[in-house]
Amino acid sequence: MKRVRLTISPPEDYLPPAYRRLTLESSALSAVRIVNWNVADPPVGFLLWVQGDYRQLETGFEDVPNVREVELFPNGDGTAYCFLAAERPTAARALFENFTREDVLTVPPVECHDDGSSTFTLVGTDAAIQAAVEGIPDAVGVTVEAVGAGPVGVDDAVRSLSPRQREAARAGLRVGYYDVPREATIADVAAELACGRATAAEHLQKAEANLFRALLDS
């Protein structure tokens, strides 16, 4: 048995509308994790752990197609569990089922990033994990973050970042945004990333929040 930690980056049109709302379209949440799921039979159900202004989710899915039910369970510390049920499976179900085949288990949580990518750990036999990785559609980007037989959790704070957050943090280091005293501004980071200042600021804020959470909560 071994474990492999992967980040998959599907094209935007491959993502279910509810997932897009939670990631690409949400600036209110600093972290989204899938902690349990049932995709065997409709309605498809997911239990999420979310951090941030989660109250926006109470009405945030009213215009999202294929959402059957949303219910929040606040934890009282700026986080909440969110039960999300869909009316019917989406095209992404085949991708999800690819990681629940025989001799392969997906270890919760699945970390959902603000660029639409997700990071998770597989545990299984060498042959089954290889088949799962090979079963990822060509249109879906995949990065192998770690391979081995050691711990299956997030054992490196950097791995708690989405690819875009990681890129933003590295850009900040390159231009001197994290130097003491600070040698660069958000505008400099945005120029390095070829994006708007608000986008650069959001990526940096979420990267910093995830890094501190991974370091201090471990």
Side-chain angles (χ1 to χ4, degrees):
M1 301 289 283
K2 73 174 182 180
R3 60 103 176 184
V4 175
R5 190 157 179 81
L6 302 174
T7 294
I8 59 171
S9 304
E12 186 173 342
D13 58 2
Y14 200 90
L15 299 173
Y19 188 89
R20 290 201 301 269
R21 180 57 52 89
L22 286 163
T23 56
L24 293 170
E25 300 171 3
S26 176
S27 59
L29 301 177
S30 58
V32 178
R33 299 171 184 166
I34 304 173
V35 297
N36 211 335
W37 53 85
N38 175 21
V39 296
D41 296 295
V44 177
F46 293 91
L47 181 64
L48 312 172
W49 178 91
V50 297
Q51 183 171 51
D53 188 7
Y54 56 79
R55 288 295 181 186
Q56 292 193 18
L57 299 181
E58 292 176 328
T59 58
F61 290 98
E62 291 179 349
D63 61 339
V64 177
N66 198 35
V67 174
R68 178 175 181 265
E69 183 180 355
V70 178
E71 188 168 357
L72 287 171
F73 303 92
N75 293 322
D77 59 354
T79 71
Y81 287 100
C82 175
F83 174 73
L84 180 64
E87 291 282 1
R88 59 191 180 279
T90 66
R93 178 178 178 176
L95 179 60
F96 204 89
E97 289 179 335
N98 185 60
F99 304 114
T100 56
R101 62 175 68 204
E102 185 178 357
D103 293 334
V104 172
L105 292 174
T106 302
V107 181
V110 176
E111 306 216 10
C112 308
H113 306 303
D114 56 6
D115 59 359
S117 64
S118 58
T119 302
F120 53 92
T121 298
L122 298 178
V123 174
T125 64
D126 287 359
I129 288 179
Q130 183 66 30
V133 173
E134 291 177 351
I136 299 173
D138 292 340
V140 177
V142 58
T143 302
V144 177
E145 305 285 357
V147 179
V152 299
V154 183
D155 50 14
D156 184 341
V158 175
R159 292 182 194 139
S160 68
L161 306 183
S162 72
R164 192 59 170 162
Q165 290 168 6
R166 199 176 307 171
E167 182 183 1
R170 286 172 174 160
L173 286 172
R174 285 196 303 272
V175 300
Y177 183 75
Y178 292 110
D179 288 356
V180 181
R182 182 165 286 173
E183 299 292 338
T185 66
I186 288 291
D188 297 317
V189 178
E192 186 79 2
L193 294 172
C195 69
R197 292 174 60 181
T199 300
E202 182 178 345
H203 286 320
L204 286 177
Q205 288 168 2
K206 290 185 175 181
E208 291 161 5
N210 286 336
L211 284 170
F212 277 111
R213 189 179 306 112
L215 290 169
L216 300 179
D217 289 349
S218 60

